[in-house]
């Protein structure tokens, strides 16, 4: 049974140590890290899908625990927040922001058990982002026709000009272009994997996270698609859809489809269908040299 990944956010190391000692006895909780400030905690959350924050009300660094809760307010699958304080002054504000519990520290005998009951209830509703499913077959196998998948992407009329311009810019690069040395770091099974940009075929949005697709695998990334769009855009990646960011250098074919549409096909085992309107066919043919 998966455990709730837990982060301890408090400036006092003695409080963090005491919390660790208590939580070691809780079978459905796993402490994976400590932080002192709200911004450290938010940065760690981008790398690890935490289910629980035990967070102090007073934090250094310019943002309090309550202010951090405000930053998390619009996030999907946000962690449960258990506030730690020596007074009740912020309890109302904490619960207004959806706190799971508010603990006066040190807690009275038996009080921590009530917190665990509330976290147990929260756990039944919390859905951790699933790990990426492996592609069928061995990673060393050549892609076969049977392995291919198709993703149909509607392209709004107003986005077609910018897409075609980006495609033209990518294909205007000469074959002698120096290889990219930039890499994207992703976490998998406790390891950090560095994926060269030029091995990424496309990126798929998934709630507050994203899946990074290479020719034979996909990796879960803690970055939102918008963050990756800003980062990868200068490397000839283009947002063809609200859910997809495509490496235009990996486009291998544009095939004719019924209804005067075209299918953009990328390398690897996934096809991406990108309808182009009838009025854009001539310009598209000019771009690909037909």
């Amino acid at each position: 049974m998966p455990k709730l990944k837990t982060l301890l956010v408090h400036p006092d190391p003695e409080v963090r140590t005491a919390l660790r000692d208590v939580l070691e006895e809780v079978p459905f909780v796993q402490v994976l890290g400590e932080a002192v400030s709200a911004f450290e905690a938010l940065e760690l959350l981008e790398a690890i899908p935490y289910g629980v924050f035990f967070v102090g009300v007073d934090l250094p660094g310019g943002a309090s625990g309550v202010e951090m809760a405000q930053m998390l307010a619009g996030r999907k699958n946000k962690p449960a927040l258990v506030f730690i304080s020596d007074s009740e002054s912020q309890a109302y504000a904490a619960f207004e922001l959806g706190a799971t519990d508010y603990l006066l520290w040190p807690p009275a005998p038996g009080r921590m058990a009530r917190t665990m009951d509330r976290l147990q209830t929260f756990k039944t509703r919390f859905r951790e982002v699933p790990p990426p499913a492996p592609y069928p077959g061995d990673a060393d196998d050549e892609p076969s026709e049977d392995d291919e998948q198709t993703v149909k992407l509607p392209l709004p009329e107003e986005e077609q000009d910018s897409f075609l311009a980006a495609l033209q810019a990518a294909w205007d690069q000469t074959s002698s272009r120096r290889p990219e040395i930039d890499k994207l770091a992703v976490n998998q099974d406790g390891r950090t994997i560095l994926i060269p940009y030029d091995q990424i075929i496309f990126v798929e949005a998934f709630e507050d996270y994203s899946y990074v697709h290479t020719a034979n695998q996909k990796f879960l990334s803690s970055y939102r698609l918008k963050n990756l769009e800003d980062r990868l855009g200068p490397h000839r990646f283009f947002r063809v859809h609200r859910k997809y960011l495509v490496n235009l250098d990996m486009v291998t074919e544009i095939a004719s489809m019924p209804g005067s549409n075209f299918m953009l096909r990328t390398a690897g085992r996934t096809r991406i269908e990108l309808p182009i309107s009838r009025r854009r066919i001539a310009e598209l043919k000019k771009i690909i040299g037909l």
Side-chain angles (χ1 to χ4, degrees):
M1 181 68 69
K3 297 183 178 182
L4 283 174
K5 297 178 176 62
T6 303
L7 181 67
L8 309 180
V9 190
H10 202 282
D12 189 337
E14 292 185 1
V15 173
R16 298 197 303 270
T17 299
L19 281 169
R20 275 188 176 272
D21 291 342
V22 171
L23 296 176
E24 279 183 0
E25 306 299 322
V26 182
F28 64 89
V29 167
Q30 181 183 19
V31 177
L32 287 179
E34 299 181 2
V36 172
S37 72
F39 296 108
E40 288 176 346
L42 293 173
E43 187 173 347
L44 285 169
L45 184 59
E46 289 300 315
I48 299 174
Y50 283 107
V52 186
F53 279 6
F54 281 81
V55 56
V57 169
D58 298 315
L59 299 175
S64 69
V66 171
E67 288 170 329
M68 184 180 70
Q70 292 172 335
M71 299 176 195
L72 291 169
R75 189 185 183 102
K76 295 179 181 178
N77 297 326
K78 62 183 179 181
L81 298 177
V82 177
F83 283 88
I84 306 293
S85 180
D86 57 4
S87 75
E88 297 179 344
S89 60
Q90 297 295 312
Y92 178 79
F95 283 117
E96 281 290 294
L97 290 168
T100 298
D101 206 355
Y102 189 98
L103 277 173
L104 292 179
W105 195 265
R111 179 62 179 82
M112 188 65 78
R114 288 167 51 193
T115 300
M116 295 303 109
D117 288 341
R118 294 180 181 184
L119 287 179
Q120 185 75 272
T121 301
F122 170 83
K123 186 177 184 297
T124 64
R125 304 191 307 269
F126 179 73
R127 184 171 68 88
E128 186 175 307
V129 176
Y135 281 123
D138 188 81
D140 296 330
D141 292 343
E142 288 296 321
S144 67
E145 195 72 21
D146 293 338
D147 290 332
E148 291 181 344
Q149 304 175 39
T150 299
V151 181
K152 296 183 178 181
L153 304 178
L155 186 65
E157 192 83 7
E158 63 272 12
E159 293 183 10
Q160 293 176 10
D161 287 337
S162 55
F163 168 74
L164 294 174
L167 189 61
Q168 175 73 75
W171 284 352
D172 279 346
Q173 301 296 319
T174 65
S175 59
S176 62
R177 179 176 57 86
R178 293 180 62 186
E180 298 285 351
I181 60 173
D182 301 270
K183 298 180 181 181
L184 181 67
V186 297
N187 292 308
Q188 187 178 55
D189 300 328
R191 298 176 298 147
T192 299
I193 298 175
L194 301 177
I195 308 175
Y197 290 169
D198 58 7
Q199 290 183 16
I200 299 172
I201 297 177
F202 69 97
V203 184
E204 175 187 4
F206 182 83
E207 297 185 354
D208 288 332
Y209 304 87
S210 58
Y211 285 127
V212 177
H213 293 252
T214 63
N216 295 306
Q217 288 182 274
K218 65 178 179 179
F219 303 89
L220 180 64
S221 167
S222 60
Y223 295 102
R224 296 177 177 85
L225 191 65
K226 180 63 173 69
N227 300 134
L228 290 179
E229 180 184 7
D230 295 338
R231 180 171 175 176
L232 298 175
H235 300 272
R236 285 174 295 283
F237 282 74
F238 184 75
R239 184 85 168 262
V240 297
H241 186 270
R242 63 183 180 83
K243 288 188 63 178
Y244 295 94
L245 183 68
V246 174
N247 182 353
L248 295 176
D249 286 339
M250 301 296 280
V251 174
T252 60
E253 180 182 353
I254 293 183
S256 179
M257 300 289 287
S260 299
N261 289 325
F262 281 78
M263 181 182 73
L264 181 152
R265 182 175 294 166
T266 60
R269 301 185 180 185
T270 301
R271 297 175 178 178
I272 300 178
E273 290 187 1
L274 181 67
I276 302 295
S277 70
R278 191 169 299 175
R279 69 183 184 87
R280 290 296 174 193
I281 292 176
E283 187 173 356
L284 181 63
K285 289 182 177 180
K286 181 179 178 181
I287 288 176
I288 61 178
L290 294 179

